[in-house]
Amino acid sequence: MSSRNHVSVTTAKYYKLTKEDDGFVDLQFTKPLPKIPWKAILLAVALFTVGSVLLVIGALLLSGTWIDQKYADRTWPVLILGLIVFIPGAYHVRLACYAYQGYKGYSYEDIPDFD
């Protein structure tokens, strides 16, 4: 037992906390401003635009008004592809718009980022 190095109370670098100090700093509870995911928003806008164009082309193919009926075999694939592209694009554009407007429960953290 005598071979152990004991630190005396006077040489220790500890001090007693006061009653007013609870050990927390106000800055650790502030939320930092979220980073805006510009690449993801740009991709969402591109998906939204391409999906909208494909849906309009598919609707015109389905109705046969401006586009000939000889292209009717491409109607359903264009409509389905338009829906597959439009739905995620519209969802993420809506999230970005609500986060920009500051609606409660929406933030840029909800949009996945590529970084």
Side-chain angles (χ1 to χ4, degrees), residues 5-61:
N5 293 333
H6 293 286
V7 177
S8 67
V9 178
T10 59
T11 62
K13 301 288 183 190
Y14 301 109
Y15 61 92
K16 190 173 184 178
L17 292 175
T18 62
K19 296 286 183 185
E20 296 86 27
D21 186 22
D22 56 358
F24 296 107
V25 180
D26 290 337
L27 287 177
Q28 74 188 61
F29 295 111
T30 59
K31 191 172 184 180
L33 291 175
K35 182 181 159 217
I36 299 174
W38 291 110
K39 291 179 188 175
I41 292 173
L42 185 64
L43 177 66
V45 169
L47 287 175
F48 178 74
T49 305
V50 169
S52 298
V53 168
L54 286 174
L55 284 175
V56 168
I57 291 172
L60 290 175
L61 282 169

Side-chain angles (χ1 to χ4, degrees), residues 94-108 110:
R94 183 184 68 114
L95 282 179
C97 288
Y98 284 176
Y100 175 74
Q101 293 173 351
Y103 285 173
K104 184 178 180 183
Y106 293 94
S107 71
Y108 289 115
D110 297 334

